[in-house]
Amino acid sequence: YQMFVVIIFTIREKGEVDQIRIVANSGADPLDRSAAAAIQASNPFPPLPSDFDSDNIVLQFTFMYNIR
């Protein structure tokens, strides 16, 4: 079966990750923590493009785990 974790987070102008929030958890803490850790391990992301209209972008990622 499949389990999902949905995370919303912000990337600031220079690529820093901010405000990581789990908005739908899988029901298994280790999977939720792993998804959040994957975002944090990617910190920093590349800077936002200079012609980007804002100083941040809010993203939603869905992590899908196939449990067999």
Side-chain angles (χ1 to χ4, degrees):
Y1 65 100
Q2 295 178 335
M3 299 175 84
F4 297 89
V5 180
V6 180
I7 295 181
I8 295 177
F9 63 99
T10 302
I11 298 177
R12 300 282 173 207
E13 187 174 20
K14 294 182 181 176
E16 305 94 349
V17 173
D18 193 18
Q19 300 176 358
I20 298 174
R21 298 183 321 271
I22 296 174
V23 295
N25 66 45
S26 66
D29 281 344
L31 298 180
D32 299 343
R33 286 194 311 267
S34 293
I39 300 297
Q40 191 59 47
S42 300
N43 189 16
F45 282 82
L48 298 178
S50 59
D51 60 347
F52 194 71
D53 291 346
S54 180
D55 64 352
N56 67 71
I57 186 170
V58 178
L59 300 174
Q60 177 177 307
F61 279 18
T62 300
F63 291 79
M64 181 178 68
Y65 296 96
N66 290 314
I67 309 297
R68 296 178 192 246

